[in-house]
Amino acid sequence: MSVKRILVTGGAGFIGSHLCKKLLKQGHEVVCLDNYFTGSKANVVGLLSYPGFEIVRQDTTYPMHFEVDEIYNLACPASPVHYQHNPIKTIKTSVLGAINVLDLACYLGAKVLHASTSEVYGDPCIHPQTEDYWGNVNPIGSRSCYDEGKRCAETVFFDTYRQSGLDIKVIRIFNTYGPNMHPNDGRVVSNFIVQALRGEDITIYGDGKQTRSFCYVDDLIDAMVTMMNTEQGFIGPVNLGNSAEFTILELAEKVLSLSCSRSKLVFRPLPQDDPKQRRPDITLAKLKLGWEPLVDLEEGLKYTIDYFRRILA
């Protein structure tokens, strides 16, 4: 295997840090770019022992100048509490960030993978969601900065492909969890685990009957690297996630059981535009990548609970 020099934007984030580690273990050189808005230096400082690893503090809304062979574009706040904190900044990161990444990739002739999201489907009218579904998205809601920003970023990637023939890859990430999640990111898995470990009430929005699928981060990273290494011409988009479906109430009960917590469940109103169902159809990933998740929810939750026990201590 030839050694590549690879840029990972958002490399100090939850998913980005795992990706950096995977690529380094494969023997590649990695440039981790992050502005630390939601990423953390603590996620990647342990990787400095690899001679081919470097960290650059920069925002993707500014032009980038690197000499690399491949680019993984992960930079963007991905949880509602973070992307709604500064919605204009979120849109800029999605759209201007995509443009700047593509400008660099076109200049270098580098292959580039864009991490899109299941949020492009909005509150879906079909279930499970397939890649040819155009979505049901509110363009002016409180989640729109992220949903529409990511949709526009996909447009920029596909138009660049059609215009220049750049080797692009587009994936749509469904709910992912695991170590290195931010304890205050507002995502349902981290929320429930942190509340359970602290003995606080577990907050369920709505009646808890809405469903999600949960993919352990190691499974997702394997799929991302496999997608990057597919032949030129297969560009996606490809759904990446776990097709096993659980209600939010089932997730809360699993967290309570595995953490041995005595926390109580409390119910709050459902936020605007919160999807009632979210589960990927991963037929295309199975066919083109030979991939499907291996870690079930209970096993993945055990690893994640152990991680939060350490950092909360």
Side-chain angles (χ1 to χ4, degrees):
M1 181 185 67
S2 60
V3 175
K4 300 171 185 173
R5 184 168 170 80
I6 302 172
L7 172 64
V8 180
T9 72
F14 158 48
I15 293 174
S17 59
H18 286 276
L19 176 61
C20 287
K21 186 175 183 179
K22 172 84 169 183
L23 296 172
L24 289 166
K25 283 188 170 183
Q26 289 183 335
H28 300 299
E29 297 178 359
V30 175
V31 179
C32 167
L33 183 146
D34 209 294
N35 67 354
Y36 301 123
F37 175 60
T38 57
S40 170
K41 196 175 291 186
N43 287 341
V44 291
V45 69
L47 302 179
L48 288 170
S49 58
Y50 289 89
F53 184 63
E54 58 185 287
I55 303 173
V56 177
R57 183 166 190 164
Q58 185 180 330
D59 196 304
T60 59
T61 59
Y62 296 95
M64 289 164 272
H65 306 281
F66 300 97
E67 293 290 336
V68 295
D69 304 300
E70 293 179 350
I71 305 170
Y72 288 82
N73 183 41
L74 278 67
C76 190
S79 66
V81 68
H82 287 147
Y83 65 65
Q84 291 174 4
H85 173 72
N86 189 339
I88 302 302
K89 175 68 173 175
T90 297
I91 294 170
K92 286 182 175 180
T93 301
S94 289
V95 181
L96 291 180
I99 291 170
N100 287 330
V101 162
L102 287 165
D103 282 348
L104 177 62
C106 286
Y107 174 74
L108 298 172
K111 186 188 295 187
V112 55
L113 181 145
H114 174 62
S116 189
T117 171
S118 60
E119 297 295 336
V120 301
Y121 298 122
D123 188 3
C125 299
I126 68 165
H127 190 74
Q129 292 79 58
T130 55
E131 289 87 353
D132 58 0
Y133 176 53
W134 290 356
N136 177 40
V137 177
N138 177 1
I140 58 172
S142 60
R143 301 169 68 101
S144 306
C145 59
Y146 186 64
D147 299 359
E148 295 288 33
K150 285 290 193 177
R151 285 162 69 92
C152 186
E154 286 195 16
T155 301
V156 174
F157 266 81
F158 274 80
D159 280 341
T160 300
Y161 168 74
R162 285 186 284 263
Q163 184 170 303
S164 69
L166 182 70
D167 192 358
I168 69 165
K169 311 289 179 183
V170 177
I171 60 173
R172 290 174 177 164
I173 300 174
F174 282 68
N175 284 43
T176 303
Y177 69 100
N180 292 2
M181 294 184 82
H182 194 291
N184 300 316
D185 68 4
R187 301 186 202 192
V188 65
V189 173
S190 52
N191 269 5
F192 285 0
I193 291 175
V194 170
Q195 289 171 338
L197 293 177
R198 288 175 172 168
E200 301 169 352
D201 289 342
I202 289 186
T203 308
I204 295 177
Y205 294 97
D207 58 10
K209 294 180 181 177
Q210 64 270 39
T211 65
R212 294 292 186 272
S213 62
F214 302 100
C215 184
Y216 189 66
V217 65
D218 287 358
D219 284 331
L220 175 70
I221 298 302
D222 287 345
M224 291 176 69
V225 174
T226 301
M227 178 63 177
M228 178 64 98
N229 293 326
T230 55
E231 72 280 1
Q232 185 168 359
F234 177 62
I235 63 176
V238 177
N239 289 338
L240 297 182
N242 197 313
S243 58
E245 188 174 7
F246 298 89
T247 67
I248 297 301
L249 192 57
E250 286 175 323
L251 173 67
E253 289 168 346
K254 282 183 179 292
V255 169
L256 283 173
S257 174
L258 293 170
S259 63
C260 302
S261 173
R262 296 184 179 181
S263 294
K264 302 292 190 294
L265 303 181
V266 297
F267 295 84
R268 298 285 183 265
L270 196 66
Q272 180 190 26
D273 301 325
D274 193 65
K276 310 300 185 299
Q277 291 180 303
R278 182 66 62 71
R279 175 166 70 91
D281 183 313
I282 59 171
T283 302
L284 186 61
K286 290 179 180 178
L287 177 65
K288 291 291 189 177
L289 308 182
W291 172 87
E292 59 182 311
L294 300 176
V295 180
D296 65 28
L297 181 59
E298 189 160 317
E299 182 183 5
L301 284 176
K302 288 177 182 177
Y303 298 145
T304 311
I305 290 168
D306 287 345
Y307 165 76
F308 277 109
R309 273 206 176 98
R310 291 196 303 273
I311 66 166
L312 293 177

